[in-house]
Amino acid sequence: MTLDDLEKFVQDKYHRNSKGNIENHYRAKTKVNLVRYADDFVIPANTKEIAEEIQFLVSELLQERGLTLSEEKTMITHIDYGFDFLGWTFRKFKGKLIIKPSKTSIKTLIRKCSTIILKQGKAVTQSQLIIRLNQVIRGCSNYHRHVVSSQAFSSINNTLYLLLKQWAKHRHPNKSSWWRLNKYWHEKDKIRWLFMTDDYSLINIRRIKIIRHPNLQISKNPFLDEKHFTKRRVILKSLNAA
């Protein structure tokens, strides 16, 4: 709530003309805008000098309210070098903006899965382990499936396989690697090497399709452009079902 008028502060400083009206001309000139979620926010700018000015002004604004910018999280960087925001890395490659899952979010997921498999999973059945892992994997995939995540999903899948091999070896230290593979990994619908039981199967995050989220067109009116919104609802419903 303390940051709710931060957007108004940015508009008053960089978007208004001498008459107090907001003009796109000023917005386009400085390219200063605010993107905020709770207490995390990003303010892009056209130059490093403007970015430094914004950081100083925002710091002063927060000090008036008894707050300070986090030294660890606050940074000024060029879009070609990228930055992390809400679990994603935003970076331009050859002039094209690419959004990927951040390395930190991937490490957090792997750490969580490692705890479930190697610590909490020592005394549980394979079905119980699959149920717990699927909850984590499904949450991760639903969040990241709309950005460039194929490489990240493949890396996560490989790491999960190695962790599950350790889990199987802990349960059967005197059996061969081939025996453990045949006991816990099976074939289903012509898909081989699935970590599964008769009732449950571990989600193969590598096979999750990357589907771009349909953008909301601000110019469309739900009363006049009913066809557009109907089509959008169908797309969103299919995404949630998948």
Side-chain angles (χ1 to χ4, degrees), residues 99-111:
I99 306 174
K100 298 181 178 181
S102 68
K103 292 181 180 179
T104 302
S105 63
I106 294 174
K107 287 180 180 178
T108 300
L109 172 68
I110 294 300
R111 193 181 302 114

Side-chain angles (χ1 to χ4, degrees), residues 40-61:
D40 290 325
F41 58 88
V42 173
I43 304 179
N46 196 28
T47 64
K48 183 179 179 181
E49 290 72 25
I50 296 177
E52 290 173 343
E53 180 187 43
I54 293 170
Q55 182 177 358
F56 175 76
L57 294 174
V58 171
S59 297
E60 284 193 330
L61 180 68

Side-chain angles (χ1 to χ4, degrees), residues 10-241:
V10 172
Q11 287 181 339
D12 292 341
K13 177 66 179 177
Y14 296 99
H15 298 167
R16 296 189 186 277
N17 58 20
S18 57
K19 296 181 180 179
N21 299 321
I22 296 178
E23 286 191 5
N24 288 331
H25 166 71
Y26 289 96
R27 187 196 301 268
K29 183 178 179 181
T30 59
K31 295 184 179 179
V32 175
N33 291 285
L34 172 70
V35 180
R36 181 171 75 92
Y37 182 84
D39 62 339
D40 290 325
F41 58 88
V42 173
I43 304 179
N46 196 28
T47 64
K48 183 179 179 181
E49 290 72 25
I50 296 177
E52 290 173 343
E53 180 187 43
I54 293 170
Q55 182 177 358
F56 175 76
L57 294 174
V58 171
S59 297
E60 284 193 330
L61 180 68
L62 294 181
Q63 282 181 356
E64 295 174 1
R65 301 163 188 204
L67 301 175
T68 57
L69 289 173
S70 169
E71 294 183 3
E72 180 183 352
K73 297 173 66 176
T74 303
M75 61 182 295
I76 295 176
T77 183
H78 196 280
I79 190 63
D80 288 346
Y81 298 110
F83 62 91
D84 291 350
F85 183 56
L86 301 180
W88 293 330
T89 296
F90 296 76
R91 185 179 176 185
K92 272 192 174 182
F93 294 88
K94 297 181 180 180
K96 183 178 181 180
L97 179 64
I98 302 295
I99 306 174
K100 298 181 178 181
S102 68
K103 292 181 180 179
T104 302
S105 63
I106 294 174
K107 287 180 180 178
T108 300
L109 172 68
I110 294 300
R111 193 181 302 114
K112 191 171 186 178
C113 290
S114 178
T115 300
I116 293 172
I117 296 170
L118 301 181
K119 293 184 179 180
Q120 301 172 359
K122 288 183 178 180
V124 302
T125 64
Q126 185 183 10
S127 294
Q128 292 172 328
L129 183 63
I130 291 173
I131 292 172
R132 184 69 187 94
L133 285 174
N134 278 350
Q135 293 174 342
V136 178
I137 295 171
R138 187 175 290 108
C140 167
S141 62
N142 287 344
Y143 186 77
H144 293 298
R145 68 182 301 181
H146 304 297
V147 297
V148 183
S149 305
S150 296
Q151 187 175 354
F153 284 175
S154 180
S155 175
I156 292 169
N157 194 72
N158 292 339
T159 305
L160 283 175
Y161 171 70
L162 296 175
L163 290 171
L164 290 171
K165 281 185 67 176
Q166 292 183 48
W167 176 84
K169 186 175 182 180
H170 173 79
R171 295 176 72 90
H172 308 281
N174 298 323
K175 297 292 185 179
S176 68
S177 177
W178 187 252
W179 184 93
R180 292 191 291 266
L181 287 173
N182 279 285
K183 179 174 177 60
Y184 294 109
W185 280 267
H186 307 285
E187 181 178 340
K188 181 180 179 182
D189 298 331
K190 296 183 179 181
I191 301 175
R192 303 179 63 191
W193 303 115
L194 294 176
F195 188 77
M196 60 178 293
T197 64
D198 292 337
D199 301 317
Y200 301 99
S201 176
L202 185 69
I203 296 173
N204 189 333
I205 193 170
R206 176 185 289 171
R207 296 181 178 274
I208 291 180
K209 295 181 179 179
I210 306 302
I211 304 175
R212 299 291 175 255
H213 193 279
N215 292 329
L216 180 63
Q217 296 185 26
I218 305 299
S219 60
K220 298 292 184 180
N221 187 308
F223 299 101
L224 301 178
D225 304 286
E226 185 177 349
K227 185 177 180 180
H228 166 77
F229 284 90
T230 302
K231 181 179 179 181
R232 189 173 188 275
R233 280 195 294 271
V234 171
I235 295 174
L236 290 174
K237 187 175 181 181
S238 65
L239 291 180
N240 293 330

